[in-house]
Amino acid sequence: MKQLTIQLLLIAGTLAISWRLLMGYGQKAQAVRRLGLVAFAAFAIWSILDPTVWTRLARMVGVDRGADLILYGLVVAFFGFVVTSFRRFRDMEIRYTRLARRLALRETPSPTEHPTLLARGSTDAAATTPTDPES
Amino acid sequence: MMETDDAWLVMPLYNEAEVIGGVVSSARASFRKVICVDDGSSDDSAAIAEDAGAVVVRHPINLGQGAALQTGFDYALQDPQMVYLVTFDADGQHQVNDVVAMLARIRRGDVEVVFGSRFLDDRSRPSALKRAVLRMAVAYTNLTTGTRLTDAHNGLRVLHRSVVERLDITQNRMAHASEIVAQIGAMRFDDRPVRYVEEPVHVLYTDYTRAKGQSLWNTVNILAELIWR
């Protein structure tokens, strides 16, 4: 029955990450991430000094060995990494798309001065449009 | 000034050298302003389209059909004469006379958007599988966007300038069709929603368009792009 604790924790972690995937993220999310990183580093040093802390922690949530707990945590963390990368790539894609679009438009004469439209102004357009579709 | 000077045909173009010449020529027979947004084709598509009389904007790299459409929007918006914008597929599956009918519809002035639908009459003959997939896609789109359409993934649309000005397509790949519907569904003009209507169009399925068309696998991609956007 104690297993339920770790199951709930892992499911909650997975859901939280999925939620972040759908929700926005900004300064707050970044701050939370940085605080998490600091806490992680502190805990890492603690667990180096006292390796049994993982096992004690694992027992608390219903997992036998500390190594297993680390593995479970890693799986969830990896999922989080995938999600973050996905979002980051998506943002980058939007940015370089805008850049490429700007370049493409800059290289093309605007509609008011495009040779294709000017040259075919009256005469050629009349020739290529024997019937006005509107009439 | 011709009456079609207020309309721009926007065609995203990617590796359609085989057919693009004919598609542009037939469009140019009725419309003066045709723009092909070449999305980094590796064949001669862009040059052929230019020779056939289209304005060609070239993406420096391949970005996707949605990105090409948005580039076409941005270009056409530079033309102060533009009132109506037509999105048109470059592979030859759409008919110019359908565009003419859709333009006549929007010119009546009571709607801002005319969507083409291949399911309003029986001229288009998609395979049973394609029909099922498209039906599923439109059901999902209607559910999530609050619109009521019969065919959400049809590349043939006529948009009023005021709508084009507010569209911002960020889905570079296939999900842009649903994104356009979603943005139009969410758009408000003085607190009223955009008025739209569907017109029956004939989508011509040839061996060429079938080979170029979307595989069933791509449906999975579209759904994924829709959910995680």
Side-chain angles (χ1 to χ4, degrees):
Chain A
M1 211 45 222
K2 237 186 154 190
Q3 242 184 359
L4 198 65
T5 322
I6 182 70
Q7 283 169 336
L8 285 177
L9 277 175
L10 292 174
I11 289 170
T14 311
L15 286 179
I17 291 164
S18 313
W19 178 246
R20 276 214 30 225
L21 174 72
L22 297 168
M23 293 311 295
Y25 57 102
Q27 288 179 333
K28 190 182 155 193
Q30 196 181 29
V32 168
R33 218 168 31 240
R34 284 174 178 167
L35 285 176
L37 206 64
V38 172
F40 182 78
F43 186 72
I45 291 168
W46 182 19
S47 72
I48 290 164
L49 296 174
D50 176 15
T52 59
V53 67
W54 280 109
T55 305
R56 272 184 280 132
L57 207 63
R59 292 268 155 78
M60 246 192 279
V61 293
V63 177
D64 276 343
R65 301 184 310 155
D68 290 341
L69 183 64
I70 293 176
L71 177 67
Y72 299 157
L74 265 179
V75 169
V76 176
F78 177 71
F79 179 54
F81 172 76
V82 169
V83 165
T84 314
S85 321
F86 177 87
R87 290 213 65 142
R88 205 165 285 168
F89 272 112
R90 181 90 181 81
D91 284 355
M92 211 154 74
E93 187 184 75
I94 289 175
R95 256 180 258 170
Y96 76 66
T97 297
R98 298 215 161 114
L99 176 68
R101 177 172 300 134
R102 186 70 72 86
L103 277 175
L105 289 173
R106 188 166 276 204
E107 282 174 359
T108 317
S110 80
T112 43
E113 54 204 32
H114 199 287
T116 306
L117 294 171
L118 293 178
R120 293 164 206 248
S122 50
T123 51
D124 217 87
T128 51
T129 46
T131 51
D132 190 341
E134 287 305 310
S135 56
Chain B
M1 191 175 87
M2 291 170 57
E3 239 193 290
T4 56
D5 261 7
D6 60 359
W8 270 95
L9 247 75
V10 175
M11 292 187 208
L13 176 58
Y14 182 63
N15 290 348
E16 305 276 8
E18 213 177 301
V19 294
I20 188 62
V23 174
V24 170
S25 300
S26 67
R28 285 270 301 153
S30 302
F31 299 94
R32 200 165 76 89
K33 296 174 173 176
V34 176
I35 175 175
C36 289
V37 181
D38 178 53
D39 196 21
S41 296
S42 52
D43 61 10
D44 296 332
S45 296
I48 295 170
E50 211 152 44
D51 287 345
V55 169
V56 175
V57 175
R58 291 175 171 82
H59 279 173
I61 45 171
N62 177 254
L63 296 170
Q65 197 180 7
L69 271 178
Q70 184 63 47
T71 302
F73 293 177
D74 288 2
Y75 185 82
L77 281 170
Q78 293 177 32
D79 182 1
Q81 286 182 340
M82 189 270 282
V83 184
Y84 305 109
L85 187 144
V86 182
T87 66
F88 198 88
D89 282 2
D91 62 359
Q93 61 168 288
H94 296 321
Q95 321 301 312
V96 176
N97 56 347
D98 281 335
V99 178
V100 173
M102 288 166 77
L103 267 170
R105 179 68 191 81
I106 202 170
R107 279 182 207 281
R108 283 200 237 155
D110 56 337
V111 291
E112 283 101 22
V113 179
V114 181
F115 291 107
S117 171
R118 75 200 96 183
F119 294 122
L120 289 178
D121 59 24
D122 52 11
R123 283 180 294 167
S124 310
R125 300 184 188 285
S127 64
L129 187 64
K130 191 165 183 92
R131 183 178 287 265
V133 166
L134 286 165
R135 286 296 195 186
M136 244 157 56
V138 78
Y140 181 85
T141 306
N142 282 338
L143 193 74
T144 50
T145 62
T147 50
R148 286 287 163 270
L149 295 174
T150 59
D151 186 5
H153 282 253
N154 195 316
L156 192 49
R157 320 167 182 86
V158 181
L159 312 167
H160 189 267
R161 184 185 185 103
S162 56
V163 172
V164 180
E165 276 168 351
R166 293 169 195 219
L167 281 176
D168 179 22
I169 307 173
T170 62
Q171 295 286 346
N172 283 0
R173 285 175 297 274
M174 294 322 296
H176 67 269
S178 308
E179 194 187 17
I180 291 174
V181 175
Q183 289 188 8
I184 287 174
M187 230 177 256
R188 291 289 177 275
F189 289 108
D190 297 326
D191 269 349
R192 74 162 171 80
V194 173
R195 294 166 303 193
Y196 59 86
V197 72
E198 280 187 309
E199 273 278 311
V201 300
H202 179 199
V203 174
L204 188 66
Y205 293 101
T206 61
D207 288 340
Y208 181 81
T209 61
R210 265 189 282 267
K212 279 262 173 180
Q214 293 166 37
S215 72
L216 198 58
W217 286 111
N218 214 5
T219 322
V220 178
N221 293 334
I222 292 173
L223 275 175
E225 283 174 38
L226 277 175
I227 296 166
W228 292 288
R229 52 181 159 208

